[in-house]
Amino acid sequence: MIRRFIAYYKPVRKLLFVDMLSAILIAGIDLITPRFTSHMIDVIIPSMNVTLVLRWSFYLLIAYAIRVSLQYVVEYWGHILGVRMEFAMRKQLFAHIQQLPIRFFDNIKVGKLMSRLVNDLNDISEVAHHGPEDLLISVVLLVGSFTMMYLTQWKLALILTVLVPLMIAVGISKNLKFRKAFRELRRRVADINAQAEDNFSGIRVVKAFTAESQQEQLFDDGNQRFATSRISALKTMAEFGVSVKFFIYIIQLVVFFVGARLIISNQMSIGGLVEFLLYVQLFQQPINRISGFIMQYNQAMAGFERFLEVVDTPAQSNAGDKIDDLAISGRIRFENVTFGYGDVEEDIVLNSINIHIPEGKTLALVGPSGGGKTTLASLIPRFYEVEQGRITIDEIDIRDFDLGFLRRQIGIIQQDVFIFAGTIGENLAIAKPEASQQELIDALKKAEAWEFVSDLPSGLDTQIGQRGVKLSGGQKQRIALARVFLKNPPILILDEATSALDNKTERYIQRTLETLSVGRTTLVIAHRLSTIEKADQILVLSKDGILEEGNHTQLMNQKGFYYHLRQGEATI
Ligand code: ADP
Ligand code: MG
């Protein structure tokens, strides 16, 4: 997993290099400042030479200036590195999600997918640049300062070699504890928010049932849990601060005591002692950095794992040389098609179905709800893949077509029309992005929608709101019709296209649907049987397969299931 994570650094390796180099240099400057101070104390000041003092102060000024600029590089360019990686991952993730089969979306909550796309990747980008930076700085600081200390006074350094790792270990463990506690706190806040929001939006119900005190009780519980968590979080935070300080003081004390004796016995200079004390201060940095890293790393890797899970889900197969350039006339055949959504035998929805729809003809599917009509229709554009048997269009297996080409040959109108947030024009353009204004208007006219669209304040440019809330059901259906007129496919699938509409609107739309299906091979699934009398062929489909087939007159004469359905005797 780590290896796959590292692969994402490749496009930004130059930035990573600059970031890491700056981080090392920052650590380097932090390392030499104590040494610089001891030099000031031991050599420069005793020399009583003001020009020398000035010169060395100037050196220090330069070092500080460089450090500040490097810090800017790390904080700005380092974050850019994270942002670029996040951008690339999000792009890849969204593009991949677009290619996933519908089955994938059947099995995942939209909210979950959203948080993978947005929140998880956020955490990843943070650790992407802070991670290597924090680790590198910590290592350089620790190794560097110990080297310096051993060079200055090995006896004192030896004592610190025991004490400092102990301090760092305790510090990190306490730090992790308080970070965890604060994360827990964030969850509690989210609970309070959710609860308050629930209450405010349901305030009418609360008042109607005089449930105010009950709600207060609920809120008090959440609020109490929040307060308790907060107190324990503050406790861990205080413990962290105190224990690190405690160690620092102990170590300083030891350094003072041992250092003073070494100075007295002429084994160390005063500057050397100051240098040691400054290094002890420096050791606080790795504690914070390493704990921050551990925390972020765990969080980000969990997110990265979820990211990989989606990215590794195979896209719908569309590989190889597929037919993508052919004039389709639209003859459809189902040959022994068996299909189920699950893996087990009992889940089979369609069992050995054979259907033939000649080019330009209309086949109607009727039957009880849950009989598999929608399922059958959704196999044609390969929304789901046939497992046994095959479906052909113009005698070509649909799996031999390019997926996009296949879907461009098929127009689908369903009961609920999905309208994207945006204008009417934008909603039509999804069928044909390059369509001219005139083409859009023509399509609307054919769909008998132009009348109401041209009456709207901004015509085609009218915003129709999220999911088309500003349109009536019939109007939305007409937009869907216009989309298909614009697409102009040889094959048409009408899946209960009018069942959500009232009788009068249904009759109007029905007329348009008939115009639309002229010259197209049409599969119509109808809720109201009166709408399919003119179909060339009618199939009665139930869980047990195809029960009857024939045209309206034949089926009525047969006095079977269809006849009884028509009479309203059988229940749908
Ligand atoms: P109809 O359109 O004739 O009412 P469907 O084709 O919608 O019937 O459904 C047929 C059967 O398949 C039903 O038992 C239904 O529960 C099941 N089904 C439909 N869609 C899915 C799906 N996406 N995942 C799993 N099972 C499904
Ligand atoms: Mg259905």
Side-chain angles (χ1 to χ4, degrees):
M1 195 159 74
I2 289 289
R3 195 170 302 154
R4 293 190 60 183
F5 186 71
I6 289 171
Y8 284 93
Y9 279 112
K10 213 169 163 211
V12 288
R13 55 189 181 277
K14 280 184 198 146
L15 265 182
L16 180 69
F17 179 75
V18 172
D19 187 35
M20 292 303 104
L21 190 68
S22 309
I24 295 180
L25 290 176
I26 288 177
I29 290 176
D30 284 351
L31 271 176
I32 53 163
T33 16
R35 170 55 60 95
F36 179 89
T37 312
S38 72
H39 187 72
M40 267 293 209
I41 293 171
D42 289 345
V43 184
I44 311 296
I45 297 173
S47 76
M48 303 286 180
N49 184 338
V50 178
T51 23
L52 215 54
V53 171
L54 264 178
R55 188 186 306 153
W56 278 82
S57 303
F58 182 68
Y59 292 157
L60 191 62
L61 179 71
I62 292 179
Y64 283 155
I66 295 176
R67 196 195 183 286
V68 169
S69 328
L70 288 174
Q71 181 141 13
Y72 179 80
V73 171
V74 167
E75 280 180 16
Y76 179 58
W77 290 100
H79 276 97
I80 287 188
L81 170 123
V83 169
R84 289 211 184 140
M85 282 174 69
E86 186 181 333
F87 172 83
M89 286 182 185
R90 186 169 287 134
K91 186 179 158 80
Q92 184 196 358
L93 186 60
F94 187 78
H96 189 75
I97 291 174
Q98 292 296 295
Q99 300 305 322
L100 289 175
I102 290 186
R103 199 180 276 273
F104 173 83
F105 296 91
D106 288 348
N107 296 324
I108 192 163
K109 283 204 198 94
V110 174
K112 255 189 181 166
L113 209 51
M114 292 288 295
S115 79
R116 284 180 192 195
L117 192 65
V118 183
N119 305 348
D120 285 358
L121 294 182
N122 241 336
D123 296 339
I124 297 176
S125 100
E126 274 300 295
V127 86
H129 68 281
H130 284 311
E133 203 175 281
D134 284 343
L135 280 187
L136 205 62
I137 291 183
S138 301
V139 170
V140 171
L141 276 184
L142 284 176
V143 173
S145 46
F146 270 104
T147 314
M148 296 290 228
M149 288 191 301
Y150 270 102
L151 290 177
T152 308
Q153 223 306 325
W154 68 269
K155 283 183 197 158
L156 191 50
L158 200 64
I159 297 176
L160 290 190
T161 313
V162 178
L163 287 177
V164 170
L166 196 66
M167 166 179 90
I168 291 180
V170 172
I172 288 177
S173 91
K174 292 275 179 202
N175 193 319
L176 282 178
K177 240 188 223 155
F178 102 71
R179 280 171 199 256
K180 275 210 189 85
F182 272 89
R183 206 157 80 181
E184 164 84 24
L185 204 58
R186 277 211 297 273
R187 273 200 292 274
R188 294 258 180 265
V189 174
D191 287 348
I192 291 196
N193 276 337
Q195 216 206 328
E197 196 191 315
D198 219 29
N199 173 279
F200 298 157
S201 39
I203 196 74
R204 280 161 197 276
V205 181
V206 173
K207 288 193 185 297
F209 286 95
T210 53
E212 291 93 340
S213 58
Q214 193 187 333
Q215 288 282 310
E216 264 172 52
Q217 188 60 49
L218 268 176
F219 185 82
D220 279 350
D221 289 349
N223 201 15
Q224 185 62 54
R225 274 198 296 275
F226 172 74
T228 315
S229 301
R230 173 122 216 183
I231 288 168
S232 87
L234 290 171
K235 182 163 180 275
T236 50
M237 190 170 86
E239 276 174 14
F240 165 71
V242 168
S243 51
V244 170
K245 275 281 173 286
F246 172 77
F247 267 103
I248 297 256
Y249 290 146
I250 293 286
I251 294 172
Q252 273 178 351
L253 204 69
V254 172
V255 171
F256 267 126
F257 179 72
V258 179
R261 292 197 52 174
L262 288 168
I263 292 173
I264 290 167
S265 62
N266 255 335
Q267 295 180 59
M268 189 161 89
S269 65
I270 294 178
L273 178 63
V274 174
E275 185 185 328
F276 264 80
L277 290 172
L278 288 175
Y279 279 126
V280 173
Q281 294 294 329
L282 210 58
F283 290 135
Q284 292 181 64
Q285 254 199 68
I287 296 181
N288 285 323
R289 287 185 185 275
I290 294 176
S291 343
F293 173 75
I294 294 176
M295 205 65 185
Q296 276 185 340
Y297 179 83
N298 286 335
Q299 212 169 326
M301 278 304 136
F304 188 62
E305 206 177 317
R306 291 192 289 268
F307 164 81
L308 287 184
E309 217 175 84
V310 178
V311 166
D312 289 343
T313 307
Q316 189 162 12
S317 128
N318 189 27
D321 273 342
K322 296 296 179 71
I323 300 166
D324 60 358
D325 183 18
L326 191 72
I328 295 292
S329 54
R331 204 161 48 254
I332 301 174
R333 271 182 211 282
F334 278 58
E335 298 173 4
N336 287 317
V337 171
T338 298
F339 176 83
Y341 289 98
D343 299 324
V344 281
E345 198 81 6
E346 292 89 72
D347 289 342
I348 284 183
V349 178
L350 302 171
N351 199 350
S352 229
I353 299 288
N354 286 288
I355 297 177
H356 174 216
I357 319 177
E359 133 183 25
K361 299 289 185 191
T362 297
L363 175 90
L365 275 181
V366 298
S369 156
K373 304 180 295 295
T374 300
T375 306
L376 188 148
S378 61
L379 294 179
I380 304 174
R382 286 178 63 193
F383 287 160
Y384 298 91
E385 302 280 7
V386 169
E387 285 135 21
Q388 288 169 44
R390 60 177 204 151
I391 299 172
T392 63
I393 293 176
D394 292 1
E395 316 307 333
I396 298 167
D397 192 321
I398 53 171
R399 283 167 291 203
D400 293 336
F401 289 111
D402 172 76
L403 199 56
F405 175 78
L406 172 71
R407 289 178 182 165
R408 280 193 292 279
Q409 312 307 314
I410 303 168
I412 303 175
I413 297 184
Q414 285 166 314
Q415 180 174 340
D416 36 38
V417 177
F418 193 89
I419 302 283
F420 293 93
T423 67
I424 292 187
E426 284 161 1
N427 265 286
L428 293 178
I430 191 163
K432 191 176 179 187
E434 74 281 6
S436 67
Q437 193 86 354
Q438 193 54 47
E439 276 178 279
L440 297 186
I441 294 174
D442 287 345
L444 285 168
K445 280 183 179 160
K446 284 185 197 153
E448 293 178 56
W450 178 238
E451 208 172 317
F452 88 82
V453 171
S454 58
D455 274 350
L456 291 171
S458 335
L460 277 174
D461 297 327
T462 309
Q463 294 282 345
I464 43 188
Q466 193 102 29
R467 304 210 163 186
V469 286
K470 298 182 186 165
L471 298 178
S472 75
Q475 287 173 334
K476 276 195 267 190
Q477 203 54 269
R478 291 209 176 275
I479 298 290
L481 281 164
R483 276 183 187 155
V484 178
F485 272 115
L486 202 58
K487 188 176 181 181
N488 196 22
I491 296 169
L492 192 60
I493 295 172
L494 310 173
D495 187 354
E496 309 206 356
T498 56
S499 15
L501 307 175
D502 57 85
N503 278 328
K504 197 165 148 231
T505 320
E506 175 172 27
R507 271 201 302 283
Y508 285 133
I509 299 264
Q510 192 58 39
R511 214 176 48 208
T512 322
L513 284 174
E514 278 163 27
T515 330
L516 180 62
S517 60
V518 169
R520 301 178 211 271
T521 310
T522 307
L523 178 68
V524 48
I525 298 169
H527 182 67
R528 268 170 276 226
L529 299 177
S530 56
T531 56
I532 53 156
E533 278 173 18
K534 292 184 209 148
D536 299 295
Q537 202 191 6
I538 299 169
L539 286 185
V540 179
L541 184 73
S542 81
K543 282 200 176 75
D544 307 319
I546 299 173
L547 298 181
E548 293 169 19
E549 58 183 300
N551 63 28
H552 175 67
T553 328
Q554 288 166 340
L555 290 182
M556 287 306 273
N557 289 337
Q558 215 172 312
K559 294 218 172 6
F561 194 89
Y562 181 78
Y563 173 83
H564 291 294
L565 272 184
R566 260 336 275 271
Q567 301 297 312
E569 285 163 18
T571 42
I572 295 186

